[in-house]
Amino acid sequence: MAKQTPPSRNLWLATAALGGLLLAERLWPKRTRVAEEPARTGRNLALGALNLAVVAGVQAPLARQLATRVARERLGIAQQLPAPLRDLAAMLLLDWSMYHWHVATHRVPLLWRLHLVHHIDRDMDASTALRFHVVDMALSVPLRLAQVRLLGVSPRALALWEGFFMASVLFHHADLDLPFDAPLSLVLTTPGMHDIHHRADTASLGSNYSAGLSLWDRLHGTFADSAPAVPIGVPGQGDPALGGLLALPLTAVAD
Ligand SMILES: [Zn+2]
């Protein structure tokens, strides 16, 4: 049986990765910053703390428990495959389904009101990766459970993919000007690729939805390699204080 990774170790690794990226962004920035600091980073970290409580306290233990049953009883799509293929298939299916969930958060008006909290950040850096509405994160609990059950995700596949996905999300939000961004984007979602997704331009917002492997955008025709020179954000939307962000799904004129 696979040894479980202690959640506290993942948390330390994520904190170290976030710290390293925030430092690298100061050394090799891609964009000129416009928002007032430290208020903006403070808002992002406060939302991140709320989201961490939901993920670590509710989502992770429930998903791990369900994944154990899925592997034991061989439930879901990947578990019907030969043993050597199961975990790889499960991780690819998880990554692909997250692409579709991200598309849904842009196209379903109610989900877009929640996802808007992430997109109206006027600068983008690794702290943007933590900035989601807590209801958005709460919805990720039934989403993850449905993924684990239907796709047939084992505890090992879940732990490996979640580690990869978390690292990828921190990385592609980073304010980094990488010389190898374009070739790397053939495989992974890069900061350059995701910069386009955060531009305040309707066509750009509708491109580059991938968050793990970059393959999905190419497969579904949503890949873009350039955007007009407009700011980071959403047309017509400012970035309110923390209380305003939490109330935003109710107050935003966004549909
Ligand atoms: Zn988005």
Side-chain angles (χ1 to χ4, degrees), residues 9-33:
R9 196 170 79 190
N10 285 343
L11 191 56
W12 280 115
L13 284 172
T15 307
L18 177 64
L21 283 170
L22 290 173
L23 179 65
E25 289 170 328
R26 294 297 182 274
L27 297 172
W28 304 288
K30 180 184 176 74
R31 293 172 287 270
T32 305
R33 292 178 179 245

Side-chain angles (χ1 to χ4, degrees), residues 2-254:
K3 193 163 165 269
Q4 297 274 336
T5 305
S8 60
R9 196 170 79 190
N10 285 343
L11 191 56
W12 280 115
L13 284 172
T15 307
L18 177 64
L21 283 170
L22 290 173
L23 179 65
E25 289 170 328
R26 294 297 182 274
L27 297 172
W28 304 288
K30 180 184 176 74
R31 293 172 287 270
T32 305
R33 292 178 179 245
V34 295
E36 198 181 317
E37 294 287 4
R40 172 194 159 270
T41 302
R43 282 195 293 276
N44 291 359
L45 295 180
L47 287 174
L50 281 173
N51 294 333
L52 177 67
V54 175
V55 171
V58 184
Q59 189 205 79
L62 288 178
R64 223 169 14 241
Q65 206 174 25
L66 181 59
T68 303
R69 188 163 81 84
V70 159
R72 190 178 59 231
E73 298 178 19
R74 295 199 47 200
L75 305 170
I77 296 168
Q79 295 301 318
Q80 310 316 309
L81 298 171
L85 298 177
R86 282 177 209 157
D87 283 352
L88 180 63
M91 288 189 284
L92 286 171
L93 288 168
L94 275 169
D95 215 60
W96 186 45
S97 58
M98 284 311 289
Y99 167 90
H100 287 293
W101 174 251
H102 190 186
V103 172
T105 62
H106 279 251
R107 296 191 184 162
V108 177
L110 191 63
L111 296 180
W112 173 240
R113 282 173 172 267
L114 295 167
H115 192 50
L116 195 56
V117 170
H118 175 69
H119 271 278
I120 59 173
D121 203 353
R122 294 171 63 224
D123 290 318
M124 185 169 75
D125 62 13
S127 78
T128 310
L130 312 175
R131 177 195 165 111
F132 290 92
H133 196 280
V134 69
V135 175
D136 196 353
M137 212 42 59
L139 287 178
S140 78
V141 178
L143 170 71
R144 184 71 82 251
L145 294 177
Q147 287 173 307
V148 168
R149 173 62 184 83
L150 296 173
L151 306 178
V153 182
S154 72
R156 187 170 63 174
L158 182 66
L160 285 172
W161 177 79
E162 282 188 332
F164 159 72
F165 194 75
M166 187 169 62
S168 175
V169 171
L170 285 169
F171 170 66
H172 66 239
H173 284 95
D175 181 19
L176 284 176
D177 198 4
L178 299 175
F180 49 87
D181 196 290
L184 189 63
S185 76
L186 292 170
V187 182
L188 298 174
T189 308
T190 58
M193 209 180 143
H194 205 66
D195 171 286
I196 295 167
H197 180 69
H198 274 261
R199 291 286 162 183
D201 163 63
T202 307
S204 303
L205 280 165
S207 70
N208 295 0
Y209 292 108
S210 297
L213 298 176
S214 60
L215 165 74
W216 314 121
D217 278 304
R218 296 171 194 279
L219 195 68
H220 294 291
T222 49
F223 178 77
D225 59 5
S226 64
V230 295
I232 293 288
V234 176
Q237 301 282 347
D239 188 14
L242 186 60
L245 279 176
L246 289 170
L248 190 74
L250 300 172
T251 58
V253 181

